[in-house]
Amino acid sequence: MFAHRVLLSNHLTKSFNVLKKVSFTTTNNNFNKDDSNEHASASLLQIKRTLKIANIEFQDNATNFKTSCPVCEKSYSQQKDIYINKTTGYFMCPSCRYGGKLGLIEKFFTTSRSQKITNELKTYQKLFQNAKEQYQNENEFDYQFYEREYELVTEGNADNIFKQFSIDERISKSSLIGLNSRYNQERQELLFPLIDIIGNIVGCKIVTKLNDTEWKEVSLPDQNVSGVIIYNNSKINKSKDKELPQQKAIVVLNILDLLALTTTKINAAFICLPYGLKFLPQECLPILDQYNELTLWFNYNTAGWDVARNFAKKLDEKRCKFVRPTSAHPTPYKALIQSIDIKSIFSKSTSILHKAITTFASLRQDVLSDLQNIDKVQGVKWKRYPTLNKYLKGHRKGELTILTGSTGCGKTTFMSEYSLDLAIQGVNTLWGSFEIRNTRLATTLLRQYCGKPLLDSVSDENLIEFEQWANKFEELPIYFMTFHGSQPIKVVMEAIEHAQYVHDINHVIIDNVQFMMGTSEESKHLDRFWKQDVIIAAFRTFATKKNCHVTLVIHPRKEKDNEDLTTQSIFGGAKATQEADNVLIIQDKRLTSVRGKKYLQIAKNRYSGDLGIMPLEFDKESLSYAHKTKKKVENTDSSQSISSPPFEKI
């Protein structure tokens, strides 16, 4: 049930991995037998070397290399292009809608003409085509179904749609029609097709009205779509010569902002991303590569600003500009209804300065934004642990948190619920559990999510209930690394960086650091304190550079049973606590005192400096440390429904 969430980080040995629509799941074929090193992303140097050795011409774009497909060109009368991602080595062929690791097509980039290699390539080509057909069958988007269910928006029905959706009268009907939108009157839904780099419809956005200024948008497929919504307002975009370099594009998160931009005379293309703030699929990057300047105009709160900066790193910061997030610079549709000049706001967009040098003038708008959005600057608030909000204020990106506690005190159980609380609120989470297997971890998370044990007895009712809860849990943005036992830091960091790039991970959990210190013959000759310092430094750099929160579970040194753990009790040198923004310690006094309690101690808090303790009372039924009251438990147990997981507050 949870296999599609597992991040493939092991070696690709004798199986050919077919990329599923929902995430990473493998399908075995007798292909790609020699690609034992494909567990990690291909380096930029490796990709260039492969293309140059084969004497193949390629176009070096901002995020991808564009070259002719070595397989499809033999199957089609016209040359077909593929796009190879510079960061991950993932290739995509829009013509046959197929993609995968570079190693899957690397064998076809050869200039050798020997009979042996020619025969071998023919065999590989057949296997490649079979795997491609399987991929297409599993991932094909049936747009014809939506064409039957939704009628095309025309001049005749546009008035009714504008009235139904309360669209501002300054937006022209031609804008809605120009996006090839469709309408379902019975469901009162609008549909906008998602277009890929060669003009194929690869998905759609379905829109329903929430109120006069907000729409609810759902994108299909729900992950990894390769298309966006584009409105061409640029003269160059309308040129028949497709080889001319594109100029400017304004990137927004929703349809309302895109429609508002169509009321302006800005000479640029207007692009709406498929999944908003959630993530930017690498499959979408080729279509954005055709622009040499991208202006990211996202929500003017702090969350939108953080996402804009993360997306800019994925899109190549050199060509990205931003509309700074302040109340004076709202998103396009809000600017339209407030009668603020959209073009004037756009003209004030700025680019990122040199990474190592800045001035207060460049920080001024960031400071203003932080002051205007103080609650959001503090981070995502916990719903199950309100006491943590009191001390830590919230869960913030770019920080490093260390959790420690004696053996058996419940560190993993607490951390699973701690991360689950955040994931339910949309924090994309990557779990690296080296101590317990993913199946057991997922079982704990599911039980904490529904608030009770499942399948205590074998019955159809219990099985149906499990399926319902599991289906809801599957929708959470939680991913797992498949590592178990001792792993080198280099391999782990490669997997984490890959996941952060592909899935826009906001929270990484490592349980625990000691498993990356190794037990090999080579490791025993190294200073373990020095090795741990290297690991801590790697995660500190990653958290800061990628603006991603990292939580590390570290075992303490052996202390006397009657003594409290302190920051000095954490195993290793002082670097761990020095680098950490937050240090959390689980103090378990149940074995040393008749009335001993278990509690979480906030021992370091760099953001606000507030320190304190949070009592931990364990509920065995739900494997939960969340605060509860007896009255609430009695009321909720009898009426709890599957539609929503339990949240207890004090």
Side-chain angles (χ1 to χ4, degrees), residues 44 47 60 116 143 148 180 225 295 308 312 331 338 370 423-424 426 490 495 531 567 613 617 622 644:
L44 186 61
I47 299 169
D60 192 348
K116 180 181 178 181
Y143 188 67
R148 294 191 298 268
N180 295 320
V225 72
T295 299
T331 47
Q338 294 173 21
D370 285 359
I424 290 172
K490 182 180 178 182
K531 193 166 185 179
T567 53
I613 63 171
E617 296 184 7
S622 60
S644 59

Side-chain angles (χ1 to χ4, degrees), residues 377-427:
V377 171
Q378 290 176 344
V380 179
K381 301 294 189 292
W382 288 271
K383 293 188 176 180
R384 301 186 178 211
Y385 300 116
T387 306
L388 284 182
N389 297 328
K390 175 183 175 183
Y391 294 113
L392 297 178
K393 309 304 179 187
H395 184 268
R396 292 167 293 278
K397 295 179 183 178
E399 291 191 354
L400 177 66
T401 295
I402 288 177
L403 173 69
T404 192
S406 57
T407 302
C409 70
K411 294 187 293 296
T412 302
T413 304
F414 169 77
M415 184 49 58
S416 64
E417 187 173 28
Y418 173 101
S419 65
L420 175 66
D421 190 335
L422 299 168
I424 290 172
Q425 299 177 69
V427 177

